Each structure stands twice: as C-alpha cells, then as structure tokens.
Amino acid sequence: MANLKSLAKDTAIYGLSSIVGRFLNYLLMPLYTHVISAASGGYGVVTNLYAYTALILIILIFGMETTLFRFANKADETPDTVFSTALSVVGVLSAIFLAGMFAFITPISEALGYAEHPEYLLMMSGVVVLDAIQAMPLSYLRFQKKSIKFASLKLLFIILNIVLNVFYFVVLGKTDVSYVFSINLWCTGLITFFFVPDFLKVKWHFDWALLKRMLSYSWPILLLGVAGILNQAADKILFPLIYKEADAQAQLGIYGACVKVAMIMALITQAFRYAYEPIVFSTAKEKDSKEYYAHAMKYFIIFTLFAFLCVIAFMDVLQYLVGEEYRQGLVVVPIVMVAEIMMGIYFNLSFWYKLIDKTIWGAFFSLAGCAVLIAVNVLFIPRYGYMACAWGGCVGYGTAMLLSYAVGQKCNPIRYDLKGIFSYIVLAAVLYVAMTCLPQTWPTWLRLILDMGVLLLFLIEVVRKDLPLHRLPVIGKKFKKR
C-alpha cells in the first residue's frame, strides 16, 4: 500500500505539470483556431509537422528513457554511468539528424510538400533535437524522484510558450504559422540551459560494454516506440498524402484541433506513466508486486472512464475551445478518447515483457497495431476522411492491447479483476449513451445539470465497490467513529 500512496503522490505532481500544463497549452488551440482560418490550412500544417516531430523524437531517444530506468536500478550498475552512456547515444543520433537536415533540406522540403517554406522544417528540427537531449536529464530526475523540479521545468516551458504566443498572435496580430515554430524553438532552447547544473553534477563515464547491453535492451523499445507513435501520428502524416481533395490541409486542421479536446486521456496516461514506470522497476522483486500491478490497472481504468464521462458531460462548454469553423470535427472526440484509454491499458500491460527483458514482444504488439491502423487509414481515408483516422487509432490500439494481454497471461500471468473492470466499462457505456441521448433542443444549463447527475451515479458506484469512504484520509476517520 505504501507504493500505491507513492504512486498517487507522484501522479499528482506529474499530473500538475502534464494536465495543468497541457490545459494551459489548450489556450493556444482556441487562439490558433480563431486567428488561423480553417480554410487556409494553416493549422493543418501545424498538425502535420508536429506529427513528424513526434516520430523523429522517438527515433532520436532510441528507447533510452526506459533503458535508463532498467539499468540504473540494477545493483551492479552505476546510475551516473548509465545516464552518461544513454545521453551519448541520444547526442550522437541528434547530431547526425541535424547535420542531415541542413545538408539535404531542399529535397526533403520538396518531398514533404514544403518547398516554399523549408524554414518550417529547420526550426522543427532544432526543436526535436533539443527535446531529445532534454529527455535524458528529465528521465534522470524521475529516477532520482525529483518530481518537483521535473514539474517546474515542464510548467516553465509551457508558460513561456503561452506568453509569447499571446504576444505575437494577440498583441501584435500575427497570423503566420511560422511564429508557432519559432516560438517553440526559442522556448525549448531556453529550458535546455536549466539542465546545465545537472550535467555538471554527474560523474561522466562512458562504458562500451554497458552500451552494448543497453542497446540490446533498447532497440526493441525503439521499435515499440516507433510503432506506438505511428499509432498516434500516422493518420496526421498520411492524411495529406492520401486525401486528394483540394481542402486536405483544411480537413487535417479540423481533425487536429478536435483531437486536442480528446487529449485529456493522453495527459492522464502520461502523468500515470511518469510516476508508475520508476515504481514498477524498483518494486519488481517484491512478493506482492503482481497484486500491486493488478490494483493499479483497475484504478487507472476507473479514473480514465470517469475522465471520459467528464469530457462528454461538459462538451457543450468544451466545444468553445475550438474555433467555430472547426467544430464540425468534434464528432471524433469520443472515438479518440476510447483509443487513448486502450493505449493506457496497453501501457499498463507492457511491463510483463519489460521486467523479464523480453522487450521484443512489445515491438511485435505495437507493430501489429500500427499495421492495422495504417491499413484502416489507407483504405478508408479517401472515402470517409478524418473519421477513418479516428477509428483507425481505436482499432490499432485495441489490437495491440488484446495481443499483449493474451500473450502476457501465458508468459507472466497477472490476476486482473476482469469482472470488476468490465462492470465499470459497461456502466460507463450506458451512462455515455444516456448523456448523448439528451435532446439538443433542451437548454444547455439543463443538460449540464443532468450530465453532472450521471457523473455522480458513476462516482457513487466507485465509492460503493472500490473506494469505501472509511479508507480515505481525514474523511475516513469520521466514518470509522460511526
């Protein structure tokens, strides 16, 4: 139970930087979608290039985040040596990538459809290299349980980014999407300087033998990461290449903006991952570790289902985050949230092969899910547009999730409370249908009241079955006295 308390505390701190920070970052989405018209396709350009950036970042990090946790927790390894070796790998890959971009920027920009704006690609190349370099000290902060410093740096970047965007797009009245990329580059570069003290404290040592062991562990994680990010970004990369209509960038911008509304699931999963991953590796040898993993899975699903219902309940309000021209795409929000829940479950299931050093399984599962996603996109985007993107992600994550569970229960079985989990899924589905069936002709305030009543029903069921009030701090003491 001590580990669960630690998980809750760290998830809250990481959640502050991820969820609150991303919520503040959401302010940029209505800003962009009100300043940049949907018809111009400008937000589609932003969506497209950030998808490429996410993919390249995974390649440059080369699975070294998880590898750092795994090897730094081994008794026969020196954490500083593990850190410096991991950073060396990322640094070399980043230097090669950046040199290649500058050397071949003309043919690359022409191939990607940005021949008139190669500066977009160069700016985002700088951003992705700096992000890759930062990933290592950020991971080391998580290993050292320095969650406050981690959260502070994340929030500082987001605040700087928001302030500069508001200044350029609101105060100065700019509408050029190039400012989106230049601001990001400037803020990322500034945050990098805050890691200098951490670099100076580390006892630098490069170990060739350690490098070989780390690469053997990390390359399947790289494949897993590439497949995983393709599950998130492939639709945004493929859409302009497959959807041959003249308004392809405009449609991509609509989809990209509405997906942002659904990203609350990604925020929760990310916050949970930041706290959960170090704990899993450090408690792997404890007797009750599998019971802990089973409990964590159940509470994760309960929390994400509640978040899903919250977004649906307040959709009448959340729709104003998106510019009016973009709101036609809000129909994808529930589908994308379900896909993100599946991705979170898949992440929870993934530790069975990481803990037995069989990360190649993760690569197989993720590649299978990615193949399904790409197939759905290629086959159905020409006919159904961005709706195929939303459903493709759902089917892709579902495939990876089911494969990981089926194989995991044979290789390293964990007794999950499937009956309890499925009961919550069915309950959430029924409540979702109830909320979506409320007539749109009813006043907004009335629908909100009824939706909050539905949310209360879900919470009552959680308290009744899995979160008795007498177990809660402070409140629980009053119930124990009765």
Side-chain angles (χ1 to χ4, degrees), residues 7-62:
L7 175 62
K9 184 194 76 171
D10 286 347
T11 299
I13 296 174
Y14 291 125
L16 177 65
S17 63
S18 297
I19 298 177
V20 175
R22 288 287 187 90
F23 176 76
L24 292 175
N25 210 23
Y26 274 159
L27 298 177
L28 297 178
M29 188 260 290
L31 173 62
Y32 294 151
T33 56
H34 283 84
V35 173
I36 304 171
S37 69
S40 70
Y43 197 73
V45 171
V46 173
T47 301
N48 183 238
L49 287 185
Y50 273 107
Y52 279 111
T53 300
L55 175 60
I56 295 168
L57 180 61
I58 290 294
I59 296 172
L60 296 184
I61 292 176
F62 209 84

Side-chain angles (χ1 to χ4, degrees), residues 70-89:
R70 178 59 173 163
F71 282 80
N73 276 292
K74 290 187 175 183
D76 57 341
E77 301 290 356
T78 304
D80 278 2
T81 302
V82 173
F83 169 72
S84 54
T85 303
L87 183 60
S88 298
V89 173

Side-chain angles (χ1 to χ4, degrees), residues 248-270:
Q249 289 288 12
Q251 290 295 307
L252 179 59
I254 291 171
Y255 174 66
C258 292
V259 164
K260 289 282 188 181
V261 178
M263 282 299 101
I264 182 65
M265 289 302 163
L267 306 183
I268 292 172
T269 302
Q270 184 182 54

Side-chain angles (χ1 to χ4, degrees), residues 212-351:
K212 292 179 181 179
R213 295 195 300 273
M214 291 176 69
L215 289 178
S216 177
Y217 184 86
S218 70
W219 75 262
I221 296 178
L222 169 64
L223 292 180
L224 188 156
V226 168
I229 205 64
L230 282 175
N231 279 316
Q232 299 178 36
D235 51 355
K236 303 170 188 67
I237 293 173
L238 293 172
F239 191 87
L241 303 175
I242 299 173
Y243 193 72
K244 299 300 183 180
E245 302 297 327
D247 63 342
Q249 289 288 12
Q251 290 295 307
L252 179 59
I254 291 171
Y255 174 66
C258 292
V259 164
K260 289 282 188 181
V261 178
M263 282 299 101
I264 182 65
M265 289 302 163
L267 306 183
I268 292 172
T269 302
Q270 184 182 54
F272 188 85
R273 175 189 172 188
Y274 283 149
Y276 191 45
E277 196 168 36
I279 292 175
V280 167
F281 285 115
S282 63
T283 61
K285 295 181 180 180
E286 295 183 9
K287 293 181 179 179
D288 61 346
S289 60
K290 288 189 176 182
E291 182 181 355
Y292 167 68
Y293 303 154
H295 282 303
M297 170 71 86
K298 184 175 182 179
Y299 287 118
F300 171 80
I301 293 174
I302 291 172
F303 187 41
T304 52
L305 288 175
F306 179 67
F308 171 86
L309 293 174
C310 284
V311 173
I312 300 302
F314 292 96
M315 187 58 69
D316 286 336
V317 176
L318 293 174
Q319 66 173 327
Y320 294 106
L321 288 171
V322 183
E324 188 174 356
E325 296 179 14
Y326 296 79
R327 290 174 197 164
Q328 59 183 284
L330 288 172
V331 65
V332 305
V333 171
I335 304 170
V336 175
M337 284 196 297
V338 170
E340 289 295 334
I341 292 175
M342 290 182 179
M343 190 273 285
I345 295 173
Y346 173 55
F347 171 79
N348 278 274
L349 292 170
S350 70
F351 285 102

Side-chain angles (χ1 to χ4, degrees), residues 74-150:
K74 290 187 175 183
D76 57 341
E77 301 290 356
T78 304
D80 278 2
T81 302
V82 173
F83 169 72
S84 54
T85 303
L87 183 60
S88 298
V89 173
V90 175
V92 169
L93 291 175
S94 298
I96 294 172
F97 166 73
L98 197 59
M101 286 299 299
F102 275 93
F104 302 102
I105 186 59
T106 299
I108 292 174
S109 59
E110 290 176 352
L112 297 182
Y114 295 100
E116 297 181 1
H117 296 285
E119 70 276 10
Y120 293 175
L121 301 182
L122 291 177
M123 285 188 286
M124 292 311 294
S125 296
V127 169
V128 74
V129 164
L130 291 174
D131 279 341
I133 298 298
Q134 289 182 20
M136 292 301 97
L138 283 172
S139 296
Y140 207 37
L141 288 177
R142 290 162 56 200
F143 166 75
Q144 297 169 321
K145 302 295 180 65
K146 295 182 179 180
S147 53
I148 298 295
K149 183 174 181 179
F150 178 99

Side-chain angles (χ1 to χ4, degrees), residues 155-176:
L155 288 174
L156 178 60
F157 168 81
I158 292 169
I159 292 171
L160 285 173
N161 195 31
I162 291 173
V163 169
L164 287 177
N165 271 279
V166 170
F167 176 73
Y168 276 93
F169 287 102
V170 177
V171 178
L172 298 183
K174 304 293 184 180
T175 58
D176 190 342

